[in-house]
Amino acid sequence: MFKFLSLSSTITVNSNVTPQFEQVASICSGATLNALPTTSINGVSGTWAPPINNAETTTYTFTPTIQGACISNAVMTIGVLSITVPTFPNSSYMRRFITRSVATYFSKWDCGHLGSSSK
């Protein structure tokens, strides 16, 4: 006589986790670029490569510390804007106007974009 043996098993399939980060805003060339976070918003720890570069737009790759746990790498591109140096016509009227305007009305240069405020 034959005996039949019944076996059962449970297989758990984990969903893939992608580390989530807040996008870092573009910076002006040479401006301070803080280190990227080593823990994602959804709790994944890891490291970024290549090293921080504040001179040119760079794509960074986040590699999770825990390997083989269904956790994907993440990527983030941080833009670096070149600084625009304005040029003005060479006339005495324009020199007077520019000098007075910059001293009186314009408060800051920001990567070539002129922020203004009136006094």
Side-chain angles (χ1 to χ4, degrees):
M1 216 151 183
F2 295 102
K3 288 188 176 182
F4 292 98
L5 181 62
S6 175
L7 298 174
S8 67
S9 52
T10 302
I11 298 173
T12 302
V13 177
N14 295 324
S15 60
N16 198 21
V17 174
T18 301
Q20 302 293 314
F21 295 93
E22 285 189 35
Q23 176 64 46
V24 174
S26 295
I27 63 165
C28 294
S29 181
T32 301
L33 181 57
N34 295 325
L36 295 171
T38 56
T39 302
S40 69
I41 294 170
N42 52 341
V44 178
S45 296
T47 58
W48 290 94
I52 295 295
N53 181 348
N54 69 348
E56 63 185 19
T57 297
T58 304
T59 299
Y60 301 94
T61 302
F62 178 82
T63 303
T65 305
I66 300 171
Q67 298 298 313
C70 299
I71 302 174
S72 301
N73 289 351
V75 295
M76 181 186 306
T77 299
I78 300 175
V80 175
L81 307 172
S82 56
I83 297 173
T84 302
V85 178
T87 57
F88 301 102
N90 189 13
S91 75
S92 62
Y93 171 76
M94 286 303 292
R95 281 195 300 270
R96 282 194 314 274
F97 175 75
I98 297 301
T99 302
R100 185 175 36 200
S101 295
V102 170
T104 307
Y105 297 103
F106 300 124
S107 61
K108 74 175 187 174
W109 294 91
D110 183 12
C111 290
H113 304 286
L114 193 58
S116 63
S117 64
S118 57
K119 291 185 176 184

